[in-house]
Amino acid sequence: MLRIAVPNKGRLADRTLILFEKAGLKAESRVDRALVANLGEGFQAIFVRAQDVPEFVADGAADLGVTGADLVAESGQPVRELLDLDYGRCRLAVAVRDDSPANDIADLPPGTRVATSFPMTTARFFAEKGADIQVAPVSGAAEIAPHLGVADVIVDLVSTGSTLKVNGLREIGTILESTAWLIANDEAVEDESKGARIKELVTALESVIRARDKRYLMANVPRARLEEVREIIPGLSGPTIVEIRDGNGWVAAHAVVDAASLYQTIIRLKAVGAEGILVTPIERLMP
């Protein structure tokens, strides 16, 4: 049984369970406050706080885990980062009050107090910069600290920056970019049996991630315009061309396309005479 430490609440937890389900590992009987749930044959989810996931994995209580790269960095735990899951995107930013004269980290005077719930990461970052600062650990709501005189600067997670603006703060630097990651215990990866199954899981998750921004497009196109069609939908290694019975000069072109460019792709296909265009989602995409 491979144990996977999963965040027990929030959007990170929801998106993780959705990803695993798409990969074929659906949580069975998942209810609020449940501590464990089976994820299909041979896998079990352990629900813990996102910030505790690195420790569970490092200690071997879990073979694998999903949590933010920011929390992995803050923990300092010796875990192996296996796969960027490409959601939960945010950044750990340095911010000051709007009326601060500082426009860059280098502008902060010696002895500046920095409020943050990421004291280890913050201390390492400023030490590497050669900056003399004092870290003021807080458990949350760091954005209020400069207005209460607790600190001059904050280091906090930022997604859109709207919370900073509402609280009269502005960014002057970024410590790190963060997304959700699949992490692993080193011994589990090196174990012959567990390691093989971990590789299989990574492959399954990669196939789902790779398919997120892709669509499968099918269209009937004039055979005489095939060269133009190949330019419009090159696909992964060229479009698949299928003969149409009694096609009378028509063939079917199939290709994987980028979802972001789908609108323009369809317009260009119509311009070369394509008909019967069909677009469908892709659940998995293997290289």
Side-chain angles (χ1 to χ4, degrees):
M1 180 72 72
L2 282 179
R3 298 182 301 275
I4 307 174
V6 176
N8 58 1
K9 61 181 179 180
R11 284 179 292 180
L12 196 61
D14 295 337
R15 295 202 61 174
T16 298
L17 291 178
I18 290 171
L19 172 63
F20 276 66
E21 182 174 348
K22 287 183 177 180
L25 300 179
K26 182 178 181 179
E28 298 176 4
S29 304
R30 170 65 171 136
V31 295
D32 289 342
R33 301 182 183 278
L35 299 179
V36 297
N38 288 330
L39 293 173
E41 185 176 352
F43 293 90
Q44 184 182 64
I46 305 172
F47 298 101
V48 301
R49 296 189 310 165
Q51 56 265 47
D52 293 335
V53 170
E55 184 172 350
F56 271 70
V57 173
D59 291 346
D63 303 295
L64 300 160
V66 174
T67 193
D70 56 301
L71 296 175
V72 175
E74 178 64 19
S75 74
Q77 295 288 352
V79 297
R80 191 174 302 192
E81 297 179 347
L82 296 182
L83 180 64
D84 184 353
L85 303 181
D86 198 29
Y87 56 81
R89 189 171 300 278
C90 58
R91 60 190 180 277
L92 193 59
V94 183
V96 297
R97 287 174 51 153
D98 283 334
D99 57 4
S100 171
N103 292 307
D104 188 85
I105 292 169
D107 297 333
L108 298 177
T112 294
R113 285 178 60 81
V114 181
T116 182
S117 54
F118 293 84
M120 299 292 290
T121 306
T122 299
R124 284 197 301 267
F125 174 78
F126 280 100
E128 290 170 359
K129 295 287 184 181
D132 176 21
I133 58 104
Q134 298 179 33
V135 176
V138 295
S139 58
E143 62 272 6
I144 197 65
H147 300 289
L148 297 178
V150 175
D152 311 297
V153 179
I154 71 165
V155 168
D156 204 6
L157 288 179
V158 176
S159 294
T160 64
S162 59
T163 300
L164 293 180
K165 290 180 181 179
V166 167
N167 288 280
L169 303 172
R170 57 184 172 82
E171 293 181 54
I172 62 169
T174 300
I175 292 180
L176 59 80
E177 302 281 345
S178 178
T179 52
W181 274 77
L182 177 71
I183 60 176
N185 176 278
D186 274 330
E187 291 185 8
V189 174
E190 297 301 329
D191 179 87
E192 183 176 352
S193 176
K194 287 185 176 181
R197 294 174 60 208
I198 288 172
K199 288 181 180 178
E200 292 170 356
L201 174 61
V202 170
T203 299
L205 294 175
E206 282 180 326
S207 71
V208 175
I209 294 168
R210 196 178 292 112
R212 279 183 187 150
D213 300 321
K214 303 291 184 181
R215 299 294 183 268
Y216 192 73
L217 183 147
M218 297 163 277
N220 294 334
V221 299
R223 185 187 297 276
R225 309 294 292 271
L226 269 182
E227 287 305 313
E228 295 168 89
V229 170
R230 287 192 178 97
E231 292 182 4
I232 297 169
I233 49 172
L236 298 178
S237 56
T240 299
I241 306 301
V242 181
E243 294 290 337
I244 300 176
R245 185 172 183 179
D246 300 325
N248 295 321
W250 289 76
V251 294
H254 295 205
V256 174
V257 299
D258 292 328
S261 60
L262 187 58
Y263 178 81
Q264 289 297 329
T265 298
I266 291 175
I267 289 177
R268 293 177 65 193
L269 283 174
K270 293 294 290 183
V272 298
E275 297 180 353
I277 299 173
L278 176 64
V279 179
T280 65
I282 303 173
E283 291 189 2
R284 295 194 190 189
L285 182 60
M286 305 294 289

